[in-house]
């Protein structure tokens, strides 16, 4: 009996007519018609594996290429996903991807410090780019990436999977419709106790920081889309209990506060030293919303003053990739933006948080 992967391999090689009775058959036909987003994953680590598995259930996106500096990983992925040799690249040969019509977009899932170069190279090759968050190490790099994509005439999206999550979007809908009244307060708590001290996330040269760059960005970005406004100031404080594990420039725990134009405030916690922290709370004059867990891989759970949120769970990366296919192929506009300009605002705030930690002073924000 054929596996789904073997079936898709046969479909790609065949030229015979295919019945449209099954979802996989329909996806294959759309791929030949150019209506499926053809994706190359760059950086075959743990998160890329999660994305690849989730994409097996996509109807608008398909994994067609890979980029890695590890030959053994390339072979393993070829065998698992049926990726042809001509769609496999090392970092040395990556620029040749410009001549490959089987790839529409490169999804960059490498360590943070590599995003800048990887995105600019992909853009120069004429490919759209999806970049994992944080998009870059700082706002300066982010602006250069946006400019490179604009110059190349390609789109830059960022892997904000929560922007497509059903319960999250229901809270956004309720806020937009005025069901919470004037928003007064947001709280975001994101953290876990990190393990292996030798991993790249604890290496400032590769990560650009510590918990804030990795997990705190969820609370930061969440404050913006839950409140529905852009902050105008930030204050922040750092706590470090293990300077051996969390070396200079690698934050262990940061608390930060955001102020919004109408007086709304947000209080957020980012940490690599505490578990059981994955909670958003939004409070308004007429009601509230709580998500807990709020940003994990799921299922997300939530409630409001009107009761429990019951939207069904869907694998986040499956939804994200299908929705991003709609953006890139059909010009669709998401409820919450996922473009480079959206990510640049997060980078500007991150820069300001680190400045506030260093100076102990409030930092005014001028986003955009």
């Amino acid at each position: 009996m054929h596996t789904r992967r073997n079936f898709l391999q046969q479909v790609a090689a065949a030229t015979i007519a295919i019945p449209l009775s099954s979802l996989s058959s329909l996806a294959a036909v759309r791929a030949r018609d150019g209506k499926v987003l053809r994706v190359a994953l760059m950086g075959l680590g743990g998160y890329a594996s999660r994305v690849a598995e989730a994409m097996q259930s996509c109807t608008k996106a398909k994994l067609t290429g890979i980029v890695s500096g590890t030959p053994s990983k390339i072979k393993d992925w070829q065998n698992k996903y049926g990726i042809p040799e001509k769609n496999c690249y090392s970092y040395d040969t990556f620029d040749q991807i410009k001549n490959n019509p089987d790839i529409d977009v490169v999804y960059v899932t490498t360590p943070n410090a590599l995003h800048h170069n990887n995105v600019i190279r992909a853009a120069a090759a004429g490919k759209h780019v999806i970049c994992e968050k944080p998009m870059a190490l700082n706002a300066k790099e982010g602006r250069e990436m946006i400019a490179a994509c604009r110059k190349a005439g390609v789109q830059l999206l960022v892997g904000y999977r929560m922007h497509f999550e059903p319960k999250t979007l229901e809270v956004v809908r309720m806020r937009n419709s005025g069901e919470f009244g004037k928003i007064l307060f947001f709280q975001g708590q994101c953290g876990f106790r990190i393990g292996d001290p030798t991993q790249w996330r604890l290496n400032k040269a590769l990560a650009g920081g510590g918990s804030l760059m990795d997990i705190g960005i969820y609370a930061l970005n969440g404050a913006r889309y839950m409140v529905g406004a852009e902050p105008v100031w930030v204050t922040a404080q750092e706590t470090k209990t293990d300077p051996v594990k969390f070396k200079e420039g690698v934050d262990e725990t940061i608390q930060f506060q955001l102020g919004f134009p109408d007086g709304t405030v947000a209080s957020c916690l980012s940490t690599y030293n505490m578990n059981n922290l994955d909670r958003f709370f939004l409070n308004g004059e007429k009601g509230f919303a709580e998500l807990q867990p709020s940003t994990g891989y799921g299922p997300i759970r939530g409630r409001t003053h009107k009761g429990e949120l019951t939207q069904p769970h869907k694998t986040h990366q499956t939804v994200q990739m299908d929705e991003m296919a709609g953006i890139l192929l059909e010009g669709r506009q998401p409820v919450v933006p996922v473009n480079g300009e959206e990510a640049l605002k997060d980078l500007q705030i991150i820069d300001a948080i680190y400045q506030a930690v260093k100076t102990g002073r409030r930092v005014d924000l001028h986003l955009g």
Side-chain angles (χ1 to χ4, degrees), residues 180-363:
F180 303 123
K182 181 184 184 299
I183 301 301
L184 304 172
F185 175 73
F186 171 80
Q187 183 181 56
Q189 300 172 331
C190 295
F192 61 92
R193 186 179 290 272
I194 200 166
D196 180 10
T198 66
Q199 63 181 282
W200 71 264
R201 287 176 177 83
L202 297 177
N203 181 336
K204 185 178 187 301
L206 289 176
S211 70
L212 180 63
M213 299 292 281
D214 181 38
I215 190 70
I217 190 172
Y218 284 97
L220 186 163
N221 186 252
R224 294 175 53 227
Y225 65 69
M226 294 285 277
V227 171
E230 301 296 1
V232 293
W233 59 259
V234 61
T235 54
Q237 308 81 38
E238 180 180 7
T239 302
K240 186 173 292 192
T241 64
D242 188 347
V244 175
K245 187 173 187 178
F246 303 100
K247 297 178 174 58
E248 181 68 25
V250 179
D251 46 283
E252 174 188 325
T253 300
I254 289 183
Q255 298 177 76
F256 60 94
Q257 301 79 40
L258 301 171
F260 296 83
D262 65 352
T264 301
V265 292
S267 176
C268 300
L269 172 67
S270 166
T271 185
Y272 267 161
N273 198 35
M274 287 178 268
N275 290 326
N276 309 309
L277 289 174
D278 186 6
R279 177 178 178 267
F280 284 179
F281 180 77
L282 185 71
N283 196 34
E285 288 182 334
K286 296 180 181 179
F288 73 90
E290 181 182 38
L291 299 175
Q292 185 176 15
S294 57
T295 65
Y297 293 138
I300 302 302
R301 300 188 186 281
R303 64 189 181 102
T304 74
H305 60 287
K306 294 187 174 182
E308 183 180 359
L309 296 173
T310 58
Q311 289 72 22
H313 171 67
K314 299 179 181 179
T315 301
H316 296 173
Q317 293 78 10
T318 302
V319 177
Q320 173 194 320
M321 295 309 295
D322 272 342
E323 291 292 332
M324 286 186 167
I327 294 170
L328 293 173
L329 298 179
E330 303 165 11
R332 297 180 60 184
Q333 295 299 316
V335 173
V336 184
V338 292
N339 54 26
E341 288 76 12
E342 169 78 3
L344 176 61
K345 293 175 182 177
D346 282 346
L347 294 174
Q348 290 178 282
I349 298 170
I350 287 173
D351 287 351
I353 289 172
Y354 283 133
Q355 182 183 348
V357 165
K358 184 177 181 179
T359 64
R361 299 177 180 176
R362 190 179 95 168
V363 177

Side-chain angles (χ1 to χ4, degrees), residues 4-5 8 51-58 61 63 80-81 318:
R4 182 177 182 275
R5 185 178 71 251
L8 289 176
V51 172
E53 286 299 313
M55 284 183 65
Q56 302 311 297
S57 300
C58 285
L63 178 62
K80 186 171 185 178
Y81 296 109
T318 302

